[in-house]
Amino acid sequence: MSEDLAFWLSYITNGKHLTWYASFQFTIFAAVFGGTLAVVFGLIGATLKNSRFLPLRLIGTVYSSIVRGVPDVLFFLFFPLAFEQAVEWFIASQVCTPDMLAAQSAAWPPCKEANWFLGTPEYLILASVSLGLVYGAFATNVIHGALRSVPKGQLEAARAYGMSASQLLWRVHIRQMWVYALPGLSNVWMLIIKATSLLSLLQIADIVLWADRLGAPNFLPAVGLVHEDWRWRYYLVLFVFYILVTLLSEKVFEAIMRRAGRGILSEVRH
Amino acid sequence: MERFLDELALFAPAVVFNIYFAAASIPIGFVFAIFLALGKASASPLISRLSRGYIYAFRGSPLFIQFFMVYSLALSFNVGVWKPMGLSWFVLHPLFIGPLVLVLNTAAYTAEIFYGALRAVPRGEVEAARAYGMSRVQQFRHVIWPNLIRLAWPAYTNEVVFLFHATAIVYFALPVIGQQKDLMITAKELFERDYNAFLHFSVAALYFLAVSLVVFFLFGLVYRRLMRHMPAAPGLRFAPKWLR
């Protein structure tokens, strides 16, 4: 019995497993950074959508409807690739000389010197930005709706006090908007959490990739077969992990909503 | 322009796979969801807890993980069960596993929609039906169901479009067999060939958008038919919510 325990203890603390545990940082970073960016892009998008200037309003509307109209995976893959190419194209226009261009045989980049190598940190940041862009479109809609449900009387009162337009926006409108936006933003956050499972598509060695590697049939010449195909066990762990994260986020959002709703008389609080 | 048309033609066989995955899983998921929603509203604590737990688990975890989990489970049963029965070729085929996981996933989301609609069915109508002496089956068939489906239809339309979008990750989790490639795999392979991200991904996005709009149109027609007894047809809003 104690031998069994010792085996399992050493099994789940071996080097590869420790790397797996460490890779949770990528998922957490992408969720937190992506979520923050989504709120920022949401605020920008909602402001654009509310703008009095037609082209800006169009940009806001097109952004929120086009990005939501295509699958998140597509945009999630497209944005980092397109960004990388755009940067390489810019470098190429600065660096490449005609003989460098002539020496290059591959389709891309234009010359070898213009190649921009992306490691895990770069991909992680790009992935977070694209999560922010995709879910910012969802947040745009949520915040746009929330801005419209702030009671008119509050804004009129603020105006009657002689507040300027920006004071009114920042001190009254956006402050009060959160109560109405929180239920929707909590939905967006749940979507972001679930989308963090896609990081491995951008060559980041995240929890999903490690679960696959660790679960694959493990054969050591010295020991023989350590374990057969255990992938489903590792994926089951991730399945439960994500459910627990959802549960935790729900509780946290409930607490935030209770706190944000203090002193506001409305039917928003159930 | 010609390049663009060629590109559209290249993607045409691929979109069939996405449509297949969606079309195969929607009807089964629909039926499964009705039972799940009724289960969640059931008076029996066991059934209610089980359905509640199922719905929570599948709505609270990523579809990507669900794909890997079900596929690796099917793989681990391969030597013991499928192979002796001679079923491996069928059970492990993406065209089977794909819809299977999508059904499990969409049933949970749809059940949540149906459950919400079930609770919004007017009490008075159900009480009137009971007063008429209708059996429980009759109550469901003639009073609860017609109300439920009308209440749930707009949200269900969104769910169907979301499911169609979700078909984009099927082949990122399951093996691609031969020429059976969906839109995303086609776009990715073309990109790896000539590094033209803007063209390939935009065309794939166009296909997704086009099919989504067709779905909205068809489901809008059904909604109008469902609501034909109402004085002014409210019509399905053309700007959809796209949010699960």
Side-chain angles (χ1 to χ4, degrees):
Chain A
M1 189 62 215
S2 67
E3 258 176 38
D4 259 13
L5 200 68
F7 166 76
W8 282 111
L9 259 179
S10 64
Y11 178 72
I12 61 168
T13 54
N14 68 19
K16 279 192 174 180
H17 276 79
L18 291 181
T19 325
W20 183 37
Y21 306 142
S23 69
F24 277 81
Q25 61 181 312
F26 301 138
T27 309
I28 294 166
F29 175 85
V32 172
F33 190 43
T36 315
L37 283 178
V39 173
V40 172
F41 287 131
L43 277 171
I44 296 173
T47 320
L48 288 178
K49 248 181 141 173
N50 271 337
S51 161
R52 241 173 297 168
F53 187 47
L54 180 72
L56 287 185
R57 202 160 63 225
L58 266 181
I59 293 176
T61 316
V62 167
Y63 164 60
S64 75
S65 49
I66 293 285
V67 173
R68 284 179 309 145
V70 301
D72 50 356
V73 194
L74 197 151
F75 207 82
F76 183 76
L77 276 183
F78 168 74
F79 174 75
L81 294 177
F83 186 79
E84 184 190 354
Q85 282 200 331
V87 170
E88 282 174 342
W89 178 80
F90 178 74
I91 299 175
S93 70
Q94 303 293 316
V95 176
C96 292
T97 56
D99 14 317
M100 283 181 185
L101 288 176
Q104 174 65 308
S105 53
W108 193 266
C111 69
K112 286 203 182 74
E113 285 71 14
N115 188 29
W116 181 33
F117 176 77
L118 290 173
T120 301
E122 289 90 349
Y123 265 126
L124 194 58
I125 288 172
L126 282 180
S128 310
V129 173
S130 62
L131 278 182
L133 274 175
V134 174
Y135 292 103
F138 290 83
T140 296
N141 243 34
V142 169
I143 292 174
H144 182 70
L147 282 175
R148 284 202 302 186
S149 31
V150 173
K152 285 276 171 296
Q154 296 279 349
L155 304 180
E156 280 163 18
R159 226 172 274 137
Y161 267 106
M163 285 191 180
S164 69
S166 68
Q167 279 177 330
L168 178 111
L169 180 71
W170 288 105
R171 296 194 187 170
V172 181
H173 209 163
I174 289 185
R175 288 276 171 88
Q176 298 204 8
M177 171 273 289
W178 293 113
V179 182
Y180 304 95
L182 273 172
L185 288 182
S186 117
N187 277 342
V188 174
W189 170 246
M190 304 291 176
L191 289 177
I192 291 178
I193 292 174
K194 286 181 243 167
T196 56
S197 64
L198 300 172
L199 288 180
S200 59
L201 295 182
L202 288 176
Q203 280 124 73
I204 297 167
D206 75 330
I207 50 178
V208 183
L209 201 80
W210 274 108
D212 192 70
R213 284 186 194 163
L214 289 168
N218 193 349
F219 182 84
L220 289 176
V223 195
L225 190 67
V226 181
H227 63 72
E228 64 232 355
D229 194 355
W230 276 1
R231 266 175 290 188
W232 64 274
R233 301 189 190 198
Y234 283 89
Y235 286 125
L236 198 65
V237 169
L238 290 186
F239 185 67
V240 173
F241 166 73
Y242 273 105
I243 294 171
L244 290 180
V245 173
T246 306
L247 200 72
L248 184 75
S249 323
E250 249 180 24
K251 293 275 176 275
V252 170
F253 263 97
E254 257 169 42
I256 296 177
M257 269 183 245
R258 220 174 301 127
R259 200 178 151 75
R262 277 180 320 169
I264 290 186
L265 263 185
S266 74
E267 63 280 25
V268 174
R269 297 169 70 193
H270 299 295
Chain B
M1 190 64 211
E2 192 150 324
R3 179 103 191 266
F4 181 71
L5 287 179
D6 288 347
E7 188 79 7
L8 280 184
L10 268 179
F11 277 83
V15 75
V16 175
F17 284 93
N18 289 78
I19 292 175
Y20 162 76
F21 284 126
S25 43
I26 285 162
I28 308 172
F30 184 83
V31 176
F32 187 20
I34 297 171
F35 286 103
L36 272 177
L38 289 177
K40 188 170 172 181
S42 155
S44 143
L46 179 70
I47 297 178
S48 171
R49 288 243 175 94
L50 276 179
S51 335
R52 208 174 279 266
Y54 176 88
I55 293 172
Y56 197 88
F58 276 84
R59 289 181 77 224
S61 60
L63 178 62
F64 202 48
I65 303 285
Q66 291 164 20
F67 267 117
F68 281 126
M69 199 178 68
V70 174
Y71 186 62
S72 55
L73 260 179
L75 270 181
S76 72
F77 283 120
N78 188 28
V79 177
V81 186
W82 316 127
K83 249 211 184 119
M85 289 166 76
L87 282 176
S88 314
W89 66 273
F90 178 72
V91 176
L92 295 179
H93 203 288
L95 293 182
F96 171 76
I97 294 262
L100 175 73
V101 181
L102 287 170
V103 163
L104 294 178
N105 184 268
T106 190
Y109 281 95
T110 311
E112 190 63 21
I113 294 170
F114 285 175
Y115 177 71
L118 189 65
R119 302 217 324 174
V121 170
R123 293 277 330 138
E125 295 198 18
V126 183
E127 277 161 20
R130 209 177 299 145
Y132 268 108
M134 285 187 181
S135 71
R136 291 191 61 117
V137 176
Q138 279 175 319
Q139 277 173 42
F140 182 77
R141 173 72 194 79
H142 295 290
V143 180
I144 297 175
W145 175 249
N147 269 308
L148 189 157
I149 194 67
R150 283 183 189 117
L151 286 168
W153 198 258
Y156 181 64
T157 309
N158 274 326
E159 166 56 25
V160 169
V161 171
F162 241 101
L163 177 80
F164 181 68
H165 286 180
T167 60
I169 64 169
V170 173
Y171 278 122
F172 285 130
L174 303 179
V176 178
I177 296 180
Q179 286 304 303
Q180 300 175 4
K181 294 170 196 154
D182 73 334
L183 287 173
M184 287 307 293
I185 296 295
T186 312
K188 214 171 150 233
E189 284 192 350
L190 287 174
F191 168 77
E192 277 157 9
R193 203 174 301 157
D194 64 359
Y195 298 99
N196 193 339
F198 286 92
L199 177 68
H200 304 314
F201 283 98
S202 318
V203 172
L206 263 183
Y207 267 105
F208 276 111
L209 260 179
V211 178
S212 308
L213 289 179
V214 170
V215 170
F216 277 122
F217 175 71
L218 292 179
F219 277 63
L221 284 185
V222 175
Y223 190 58
R224 217 179 312 149
R225 166 120 189 120
L226 284 174
M227 289 303 204
R228 67 192 181 282
H229 61 292
M230 298 296 279
L236 201 55
R237 236 158 56 84
F238 196 64
K241 261 178 65 194
W242 310 97
L243 187 60
R244 265 177 160 179

